[in-house]
Amino acid sequence: MFAGKVLEAYGIPEADAELAAAALVHSDVLGIESHGLALLAKHGSYLVGIERGDINPRPNIRPLRETPSTAVLDADDGLGAVVASRAMHLAISKARSVGTGFVAVRNGRHFGAAAHYSLMATHEGMIGLAMCNAPGTQVAPTFGRAARLATNPVSVAAPTRSQPTFLLDMATSVVAAGRLSLAIRDQLPIPEGWLLDRDGHSSTNPHDFAAGGTLLPLGSRPELGGYKGYALSVTVDVLAGVLSGTGYGAMLTGRTSGIFLGAWQVEAFMALDEFRDLLDQALSALRDTPLLDGATHILTPGEREWRAAQERERDGIPLRHDAEADLMEVARRTGVQFPESIGVVA
Amino acid sequence: MFAGKVLEAYGIPEADAELAAAALVHSDVLGIESHGLALLAKHGSYLVGIERGDINPRPNIRPLRETPSTAVLDADDGLGAVVASRAMHLAISKARSVGTGFVAVRNGRHFGAAAHYSLMATHEGMIGLAMCNAPGTQVAPTFGRAARLATNPVSVAAPTRSQPTFLLDMATSVVAAGRLSLAIRDQLPIPEGWLLDRDGHSSTNPHDFAAGGTLLPLGSRPELGGYKGYALSVTVDVLAGVLSGTGYGAMLTGRTSGIFLGAWQVEAFMALDEFRDLLDQALSALRDTPLLDGATHILTPGEREWRAAQERERDGIPLRHDAEADLMEVARRTGVQFPESIGVVA
């Protein structure tokens, strides 16, 4: 596929390039465009990282510690999507053997959308967990006015029968930084409660983030439970950063990211068929809740991504014009043929 | 101890009564008074549950499925604090053998403070996880105006060296229902963003909750990320409710609660000493963040509970006058001698 060939042109071995390409395309399929093919194009992208030597295209990924249900892998500065895909396969294989598997990745890089890894487990009849930390330049602790944490995402996914696959996939900040970029692009103010400016005052100007501001943790102000989002963010730092041996957000620099992945085998707890049916019922009960005035429907967690995937697997990925132009430029630079239609990209 | 003797008077075997009493006293020690000795006294308490036959004082707790790293226990309607304590011991012992241990409890009852169980793991050099669901009568899904979820708490704890033990301990709603009871007691309005009334309108009147209102999930309104708290709450329903075979919140009635507990052995990932040092540094870096105007200090997650414990282990538990009167009434009813000073209670 296109993305894989581009990564190969940057020196990544074919099998690894295909793993990373699958992660990127899957993000676009899920509608998580900020973590899709756009990462091959824009500033700060994977390709720039390889060019600058921040990402090692041919890492020697090796286990540092291992037990029947756990492992720590040294990523050797390899592309996050490659290392995390291999780590999640290992977690799944451990869960198949002993019920659960958890793999921490030391010295990884940006792994793309956390949902890609948690969803891998659902195809094996398992519940998946994925999280990562990164340099702490985005989120301030409650009552602080300087960033010490990244947006530290968490994802959990579980298999259903006919309902949308259950998927929690969230930054532990009120919003991910990408939402500010969208507001800037569309020249719109942002709601009160997302951002503090560099002086620690509430701001509705998305430009204040790049000017030294900080995103608020999930919950926003303390009186609305912002200290909970702060604690969730630190939890990710503990598991993905400290336990992996990578380091906590405030000590990391550059593109370094610690990764924590896990899988619980459903059959270790109950019959998978029974689980799927019960989870389907749970999600139906949520969808059937009486609506607030003015609301049109209740989404189950993951339904938005599931519907996007159904549509895009059928029709292809609708690339924005600027993203398409960027990718065509990458195609020219690498000599990889650009697909004839955007549908073919997927 | 007093609490144990009271539970024994209600037909709970001595060893089980001591486990439950330890959970209650530990909650008070941590300053989580809503889940402490007060549960022996007030309406809806453990004792009322036993009297009415909702809680089985002599449960036959038995494994339904088991693998090297997992188990499902049938709680036989036993007191949550008893079953969860036994389940957490089992998770810890599995983690000691194979790196991680996760135990789901089917048909449990209220287990008290989630922090009690996650913290048990830290004494063994492990990271602990605890969550539970309950009948879905408190929290509405985003855009819904009827409750389908309980406040579904989550706790994660990790061992430090000299910094306060890391502790995330939160309801996945903006606030737990106990915060509304406190506002009613103190005759204070609550902040906008906690509660919807029975018609789905934002309310600052804490009485609107008992009148058919719903708590908002963490994040509050959708524009502040309330859909994330909703998804977190459903995640707890998936792991503690569905995976345990207990059932999801909207199908549960009475006092039934599904429980999910886990432990990751730190040494499976890195040297415990190294982990403690790195986590200490991480927490120090958070505390040293420059302060917002008007703020006096930044708490690390769990610092409040850790400081309460230091104080209360030294000075005893400061019982509120009404709680003390309730407990003295329990002492009279059961013939258990009430401790001479509140310090002795702990």
Side-chain angles (χ1 to χ4, degrees), chain B residues 127-179:
Chain B
I127 298 173
L129 171 74
M131 53 179 82
C132 73
N133 81 341
T137 59
Q138 298 175 303
V139 177
T142 300
F143 297 122
R145 69 164 164 180
R148 288 290 180 273
L149 298 155
T151 56
N152 292 1
V154 182
S155 181
V156 177
T160 52
R161 184 172 302 288
S162 54
Q163 290 290 321
T165 302
F166 171 80
L167 176 66
L168 162 84
D169 182 43
M170 56 174 251
T172 51
S173 44
V174 174
V175 290
R179 294 286 292 277

Side-chain angles (χ1 to χ4, degrees), chain B:
Chain B
M1 68 175 72
F2 173 71
K5 295 286 173 209
V6 166
L7 289 166
E8 278 185 70
Y10 274 76
I12 293 184
E14 182 176 355
D16 282 0
E18 290 299 319
L19 282 177
L24 295 175
V25 170
H26 190 204
S27 295
D28 276 321
V29 164
L30 293 169
I32 311 171
E33 286 141 28
S34 55
H35 293 62
L37 292 170
L39 286 173
L40 289 184
K42 66 177 181 182
H43 175 75
S45 78
Y46 289 172
L47 303 184
V48 174
I50 297 169
E51 276 170 0
R52 290 192 185 156
D54 298 332
I55 295 171
N56 178 358
R58 296 181 169 272
N60 173 24
I61 302 168
R62 65 198 171 89
L64 298 172
R65 291 201 179 199
E66 195 158 6
T67 73
S69 76
T70 65
V72 183
L73 299 182
D74 186 303
D76 194 22
D77 303 339
L79 195 60
V82 171
V83 187
S85 298
R86 295 201 184 285
M88 192 68 195
H89 282 300
L90 181 58
I92 287 169
S93 121
K94 286 176 178 290
R96 199 174 288 122
S97 299
V98 295
T100 64
F102 290 88
V103 178
V105 174
R106 186 174 299 181
N107 297 327
R109 296 291 181 271
H110 188 269
F111 72 0
H116 176 64
Y117 309 99
S118 60
L119 286 168
M120 281 168 66
T122 64
H123 301 301
E124 310 292 331
M126 298 181 185
I127 298 173
L129 171 74
M131 53 179 82
C132 73
N133 81 341
T137 59
Q138 298 175 303
V139 177
T142 300
F143 297 122
R145 69 164 164 180
R148 288 290 180 273
L149 298 155
T151 56
N152 292 1
V154 182
S155 181
V156 177
T160 52
R161 184 172 302 288
S162 54
Q163 290 290 321
T165 302
F166 171 80
L167 176 66
L168 162 84
D169 182 43
M170 56 174 251
T172 51
S173 44
V174 174
V175 290
R179 294 286 292 277
L180 303 183
S181 311
L182 292 181
I184 288 172
R185 184 191 76 192
D186 300 338
Q187 297 185 291
L188 289 171
I190 56 172
E192 189 101 28
W194 289 14
L195 184 65
L196 302 181
D197 68 18
R198 60 183 299 167
D199 300 318
H201 302 129
S202 183
S203 168
T204 59
N205 177 357
H207 290 282
D208 280 338
F209 181 55
T214 60
L215 289 169
L216 282 157
L218 175 60
S220 190
R221 299 190 307 278
E223 71 176 25
L224 289 181
Y227 50 89
K228 297 184 179 188
Y230 160 44
L232 279 171
S233 177
V234 181
T235 301
V236 174
D237 238 15
V238 170
L239 289 167
V242 176
L243 190 65
S244 72
T246 306
Y248 52 90
M251 73 183 271
L252 298 184
T253 55
R255 297 169 182 270
T256 308
S257 175
I259 298 167
F260 190 71
L261 303 164
W264 291 276
Q265 191 192 21
V266 171
E267 285 277 356
F269 295 88
M270 71 192 296
L272 180 57
D273 276 346
E274 200 188 332
F275 177 88
R276 289 184 192 276
D277 287 339
L278 198 52
L279 182 50
D280 267 23
Q281 287 172 40
L283 298 177
S284 296
L286 294 169
R287 185 176 297 104
D288 295 344
T289 310
L291 291 169
L292 290 183
D293 292 343
T296 56
H297 56 278
I298 288 169
L299 289 169
T300 60
E303 181 172 346
R304 197 169 48 100
E305 292 85 348
W306 188 82
R307 293 202 183 283
Q310 288 207 318
E311 207 177 283
R312 288 163 187 218
E313 278 163 4
R314 190 183 59 225
D315 304 334
I317 298 169
L319 283 179
R320 287 173 46 86
H321 185 70
D322 51 352
E324 189 172 5
D326 278 353
L327 291 176
M328 289 178 78
E329 165 56 27
V330 168
R332 270 193 298 277
R333 212 161 59 224
T334 55
V336 175
Q337 197 185 346
F338 193 71
E340 277 181 33
S341 87
I342 52 175
V344 181
V345 174

Side-chain angles (χ1 to χ4, degrees), chain A residues 125-144:
Chain A
M126 297 180 185
I127 298 172
L129 170 74
M131 53 179 83
C132 73
N133 81 340
T137 60
Q138 298 175 303
V139 177
T142 300
F143 297 121

